[in-house]
Amino acid sequence: MNTDNHAKIQKSSKQDTFEHPDFYGMDSLLTEEHIMVRGAVRDFVKQEISPYIESWAQNAHFPLEMVKKFGDIGAFGPQLPTKYGCGGMDYISYGLIMQEIERGDSGMRSTASVQGSLVMYPIYKFGNEEQRHKYLPKLASGEWLGCFGLTEPDHGSNPSGMTTNFKDMGDHYLLNGAKMWISNAPHADVAVVWAKSEEGRIHGLIVERGMEGFSTPTTHGKWSLRASATGELVFDNVKVPKENLLPNKSGLGAPMMCLDSARYGIAWGAIGAAMDCYESARKYCAERIQFDKPIGSFQLQQKKLAEMLTEITKAQLLNFRLGQLFNEGKATTPQISMAKRNAVETALNIAREARQMHGGMGITGEYPMMRHMANLESVVTYEGTHDIHLLILGAEITGIPAFK
């Protein structure tokens, strides 16, 4: 991951003219605030992400300056209360923000998702007032970047098997272990880390950069999320102050609640990527001439566009209804799993079809499909793999968990 190659970053001359498909008139269900928030973030993406994203991805460059810019537009924890410097918005606004950012790039949305749903949310939900006031305003503004330490080298889909642990040393805790595949880790100022106590109970600990024995090696060689920073968290006898323990919830259910919030954002975000690929294919079909006419006049191309629009529309309806359930405090984990799984599968299928429709040009950075496709291969795996979400639904349907 090269973060020092500004000289190689080039601004695209192509203008971003994206307008979202809205075949079922979904905009009429949105409030004025929803539309205003979406418009503001869309304009931000067009100005700050679209002109540079292909170059960032080609150069495996994480643009650290984007963290402060995301803070300035309120993309971090927009659904958390204003008293902590957050947006105080509803969950549909949060979803629309994630949709627009991932339309720009999945790696950029991952940066925002992790900060808001996996770092700020647990501090707000499980922390005390002192922790909330200390960390949330700085995370909301982008002054600090955070990361979420759950996945371990040997424990991905089974986080309850984690071996990262802490011991009570009287006036502090002693933390040991390692986490892997952690978005934002190489640059994070704060990590919300999940570890087992001596009694084997999972707790959240706030670990700060600079604590002795805490390191964040960068993960190199990624073919996916190349504009996102990924790394490890290594804890070698790290002394964590006792006031850094999140006091209001323990057990595996605590990090799972964080993942529910993040998976909801992914459901909206992935459809943003799908929309970008669909719009590129629709425009290309009108411009590309073969056999003396636009390729959009051929039945197979029309079939593909019709199927893309159908799947996007279905996902829009699913996400909107899930947003209503979140606002009412009624959304369940299986409902969130269905939306995350559906959205990512839809986006991957649309990215692949759109890539084919662009022919050879589809593999280049002139168009977004290959980048989205590669990114979505991470999105389909992280925060619950495609198969695990299927099994969460299966357990809900049958009452029999298949992964225990």
Side-chain angles (χ1 to χ4, degrees), residues 13 26 34 42 127-128 150 156 159 179 190 204 239 277 281 284 291 303 311 335 339 369 381:
S13 59
M26 293 283 292
H34 293 150
R42 183 172 298 174
N128 55 38
L150 180 64
K179 304 290 182 178
V190 175
K239 293 180 179 179
C277 295
Y284 191 77
F291 306 103
K303 173 181 182 289
E311 293 306 313
Q335 288 170 336
M369 292 77 57
T381 295

Side-chain angles (χ1 to χ4, degrees), residues 29-160:
L29 301 176
L30 302 179
T31 65
E32 286 185 15
E33 183 185 20
H34 293 150
I35 291 170
M36 183 182 71
V37 166
R38 184 184 64 193
V41 179
R42 183 172 298 174
D43 289 345
F44 172 85
V45 169
K46 288 181 177 183
Q47 293 168 18
E48 301 289 346
I49 296 178
S50 299
Y52 308 101
I53 187 58
E54 298 298 342
S55 192
W56 290 341
Q58 292 275 0
N59 288 283
H61 171 74
F62 175 64
L64 192 57
E65 68 275 10
M66 287 301 298
V67 176
K68 187 68 174 69
K69 291 179 180 181
F70 277 142
D72 289 343
I73 64 161
F76 294 142
Q79 80 284 19
L80 299 179
T82 56
K83 67 183 285 191
Y84 305 113
C86 305
M89 301 179 197
D90 73 351
Y91 271 89
I92 290 173
S93 291
Y94 170 56
L96 289 166
I97 291 169
M98 295 302 108
Q99 174 185 289
E100 293 302 314
I101 295 174
E102 188 149 357
R103 201 277 301 179
D105 187 71
S106 302
M108 291 290 97
R109 197 268 311 142
S110 294
T111 301
S113 269
V114 167
Q115 184 94 327
S117 288
L118 299 182
V119 182
M120 296 170 68
Y121 175 83
I123 292 173
Y124 167 69
K125 197 77 176 175
F126 314 135
N128 55 38
E129 275 297 287
E130 185 180 347
Q131 291 167 338
R132 292 171 190 145
H133 285 289
K134 178 179 178 180
Y135 295 103
L136 292 181
K138 286 184 168 63
L139 290 163
S141 70
E143 181 181 342
W144 285 354
L145 183 65
C147 66
F148 175 86
L150 180 64
T151 299
E152 296 187 359
D154 296 321
H155 299 96
S157 293
N158 178 27
S160 63

